[in-house]
Amino acid sequence: MKRLASLALSALLVPAAVFAADTYKVDPVHSCTIFRVGHANIGIVYGQFKESVGQFTIDDADPTQSSFDIQVQAASVDSHVEKRDNHLKGPDFLNAKQYPTITFKSTSVKKVDEKHLEVTGDFTLHGVTKSITIPVELIGKGEFPQGTQRFGIETVFEIKQSDFQMKGASLGTSDAVKLMVSAEGTR
């Protein structure tokens, strides 16, 4: 009888282990944050932030228990033009000395379908925190190199500079800024 009870308990615990949430640390070598902003109503400027860290948890059994916590270093902005980068780091835009980190920390997650989540969280930029909802695509899960578990996610969303008290829109850039974040995490 004890053996039967032990087997029944084991059977109940195995699915929980199989479907346990997994936490992944952002791999900065295989992750990137890109921005796109209009310039003078004429063209588009692209750039990137070279330094991002954080972690995310994916819960296959209950996606609402997944979470995302990403930090980007504002001073790592790179638009491939040093003079412009220095302006972007200054008080008109990012004010990287006073506000060194851009962050997103999820507060709720909703499953859309097998490959997509709707994630609401606190986005902090230029010292201002706003609740935003972003789409997150679950790109893939696998092992590479052998023995290293990885998970890839991507999101594309838009913010307004004016919502974060940035002056860029009055200096020739569009108020809307599109952000594309691709993160690969390791477990």
Side-chain angles (χ1 to χ4, degrees), residues 17 31 39 46 61 88 103 113 117 132 141 144 162 183:
S31 301
H39 176 253
Y46 284 85
L88 291 173
T103 63
D113 59 38
L117 303 174
I132 64 172
K141 181 179 183 178
F144 184 84
S162 58

Side-chain angles (χ1 to χ4, degrees), residues 19-50:
F19 295 112
D22 292 320
T23 298
Y24 298 87
K25 182 179 176 184
V26 172
D27 175 1
V29 174
H30 296 100
S31 301
C32 63
T33 301
I34 298 168
F35 66 88
R36 174 190 188 271
V37 63
H39 176 253
N41 292 322
I42 298 168
I44 302 291
V45 172
Y46 284 85
Q48 66 179 329
F49 292 92
K50 292 178 153 184

Side-chain angles (χ1 to χ4, degrees), residues 56-149:
F56 54 92
T57 301
I58 303 295
D59 190 326
D60 291 329
D62 184 2
T64 65
Q65 297 303 306
S66 298
S67 64
F68 301 84
D69 186 357
I70 308 294
Q71 303 94 42
V72 174
Q73 296 306 308
S76 73
V77 67
D78 180 8
S79 67
H80 308 291
V81 178
E82 185 178 357
K83 186 175 178 180
R84 180 172 51 215
D85 293 345
N86 290 335
H87 191 201
L88 291 173
K89 293 174 193 178
D92 289 336
F93 290 93
L94 298 169
N95 202 353
K97 283 185 183 177
Q98 188 171 354
Y99 308 111
T101 309
I102 302 164
T103 63
F104 179 81
K105 186 170 180 66
S106 64
T107 55
S108 69
V109 177
K110 178 182 169 187
K111 179 179 177 178
V112 175
D113 59 38
E114 294 305 312
K115 298 289 274 176
H116 298 90
L117 303 174
E118 186 176 274
V119 181
T120 299
D122 293 330
F123 184 77
T124 302
L125 170 66
H126 198 249
V128 177
T129 301
K130 298 272 185 188
S131 179
I132 64 172
T133 300
I134 62 174
V136 173
E137 182 178 359
L138 306 175
I139 301 297
K141 181 179 183 178
E143 186 176 349
F144 184 84
Q146 189 172 3
T148 302
Q149 296 297 314

Side-chain angles (χ1 to χ4, degrees), residues 2-18:
K2 284 183 181 179
R3 185 164 189 224
L4 184 59
S6 177
L7 285 172
L9 182 59
S10 294
L12 290 173
L13 294 177
V14 168
V18 170

